[in-house]
Amino acid sequence: RKRRPLPINRRLYSLVMRLTVPFLLLRLLWRSRQHSGYRSQIWCRLGFYGRHRASSSGERVWIHAVSVGETLAIVPLLERLLAERPDLSVLVTSTTPTGAEQVEQKLGGRVEWCWAPFDTPGAVKRFLEHWHPTLGALVETEIWPNLLTHAAATGVPMVLLNARLSERSAAGYARVAGLTQQTLSQLAGIAAQTESDASRLRALGAADEAVIVTGSLKFALDRNALREANEQERLQFGDGAFDRPVWLAASTHPGEEELVLEAFTRLKAERPKALLMLAPRHPDRVAGILAMPALRQYQVVRHSDFQPSEGALSDAGETAGISLTLEHDVLVVDTLGRLGALTGCADAVFVGGSLVPHGGHNPLEAAAWCLPILSGPHTFNFSSIYRDLLEANAAVEVETDTLGAALLDCLGQQADTEQVTAMGERAGAYQSAQEGVVDRQWAVLAAHLP
């Protein structure tokens, strides 16, 4: 039976948000046990900036990217904005410290940075009064009623870039249909990833003329930059480090590492020199992963062990005297922003967040390297991309009990190398065919630039 929408208006929503603030602050403090960044400048999340004064020179474009994935996706668009409109100041906001680290790593001092405010009327109002943006852009699924309402009231146009809305999320927003319709109607432009995303957004209240299907920014990969970064990674590890079967388990979540290690044990039985690169989605989980009993049988090293001191590699590519040898079985990737380059060292990739009901992660870096892709059934965050890859026979969907067999089909002794190579080439062709997405997303942003 279809549920009736809840009669929640913005006043009631605002009251709930205000009551939630103490719990949000406590959650940040709790998470800061693992990453101190969560408590850094915590009052900025309430719109309090102390003695800091935002520069008043020029007009400011504000881009909000929640965390690592959104930040990496929006970087090509930010680079274009900085190149084509040097007269504008650019502010980037984050929600997580890992996202903030990516802003610093990818954009350095070329942009201003701050935490995004909680979506309470006071915090949003103070944020807008402090930064005075002339245009705001949210990324993917950031739909905040107070933020969009106050921006509209102060004459700040807001756009939603790289917009996606799964069936599950759309059903949730439909539960508060009145509030959702009022909120989405405030958006001046929406760059939807797919026609399905566009249809759901229109059905929930976005203006028809505001929604344009552009494709996903996550297709916008710089293959030359990936190759250069991969060359640097290989230098750090030493000659011959990857001259063996290499399997990357990327962006894994709790409950998946055990399954990955079980599958890897099957591969090691056939290919004793095989290497597993294990990259948890959240590096703050590394300590717990290293303590897993299943890892005790293997020689394990961390990616951070190979990072050169003082930033410079010697001519011989030496780091602190450590090399990745054939005796090492597992390389745990405990650094951020290097996964795209490391993917090029693999022969096959499992994309995590998919054997557990998280919704999966972006498979397109693996596709850009022309690698066979394994994924679980829970891929609703990238449903159209996985559907296309599966239909093109460029990826394989596995279950918890079939991951090991699928891995052996890719890298085992009896693997059909021609078939596996062809699968990877089809994935690469699919990724290459999506070119032009930056131009289409840029058109949505540029239409509202001052």
Side-chain angles (χ1 to χ4, degrees), residues 305-322:
D305 293 336
F306 297 86
Q307 301 309 294
S309 59
E310 303 302 323
L313 287 169
S314 69
D315 291 339
E318 298 175 349
T319 59
I322 184 173

Side-chain angles (χ1 to χ4, degrees), residues 84-102:
E84 296 197 13
R85 293 298 303 272
D87 56 307
L88 298 174
S89 298
V90 178
L91 168 69
V92 180
T93 57
S94 309
T95 300
T96 69
T98 50
E101 289 164 4
Q102 288 302 301

